[in-house]
Amino acid sequence: AQSVTQLGSHVSVSEGALVLLRCNYSSSVPPYLFWYVQYPNQGLQLLLKYTTGATLVKGINGFEAEFKKSETSFHLTKPSAHMSDAAEYFCAVTQGAQKLVFGQGTRLTINP
Amino acid sequence: ETGVTQTPRHLVMGMTNKKSLKCEQHLGHNAMYWYKQSAKKPLELMFVYSLEERVENNSVPSRFSPECPNSSHLFLHLHTLQPEDSALYLCASSQLRGGGADTQYFGPGTRLTVL
């Protein structure tokens, strides 16, 4: 069965600093990988996803993630954090055609 | 974002009450989902409906009863809940194309408190 581990339940960075949110997965088949963001009192919104092809995936709001098969990782990055990036971020992998398996989530705090 | 709407946004109920959560998707999708989001736990998939047929039920207690009358609407009927059922209930929809790469679109959730 597929699973997802997000390293660090809380990450805090300064405004303008690099954002790095870590995600490792386990999958017995080639995975489809997703990053979702959840702002307070809202549902989840897709940031980006990896299916096939280019391993560096660009998403919305300046985020990108790189699929590294050898490391079973799909870390999310953004070169320069903005105050509006404060939210909870979820990494997910598909298990079967309709089932997403989510990580525990990482709460990102941006310090002025 | 109004693609997936959920009502009510907040609900407080006693353990003996019966209530229903409603979800509506305006995206023309053919699959709908219920998730439970509790504090300090990963999102838990509860139910999946594909083409209005239930295809997944992740061992959810019978006090939760889903209903999908058509491809645009999904309900979660609640009865005799327990305080540990207090959580954010999220609805999602997707267009199934096979293979598992489909994006799920989420509603804003219903915050449920069971007293």
Side-chain angles (χ1 to χ4, degrees), chain A residues 25-51:
Chain A
Y25 69 91
S26 67
S27 176
S28 57
V29 297
Y32 298 130
L33 295 156
F34 302 76
W35 275 101
Y36 280 86
V37 61
Q38 185 178 31
Y39 298 102
N41 300 314
Q42 296 187 28
L44 278 69
Q45 179 184 4
L46 181 72
L47 276 178
L48 49 80
K49 69 180 180 181
Y50 169 78
T51 55

Side-chain angles (χ1 to χ4, degrees), chain A residues 36 44 92-93 98-102, chain B residues 6 21 32-38 42-48 58 74 76 87-93 104-106 109-110:
Chain A
Y36 280 86
L44 278 69
V93 63
Q98 296 151 317
K99 185 173 181 178
L100 276 177
V101 176
F102 286 88
Chain B
Q6 291 186 242
L21 310 185
M32 297 187 75
Y33 311 77
W34 279 116
Y35 287 88
K36 178 182 179 182
Q37 186 177 28
S38 306
L43 274 79
E44 303 170 62
L45 178 65
M46 301 175 71
F47 300 103
V48 179
N58 277 358
L74 184 65
L76 189 63
L88 182 68
Y89 289 84
L90 292 165
C91 174
S93 71
Q104 292 184 22
Y105 294 81
F106 286 79
T110 294

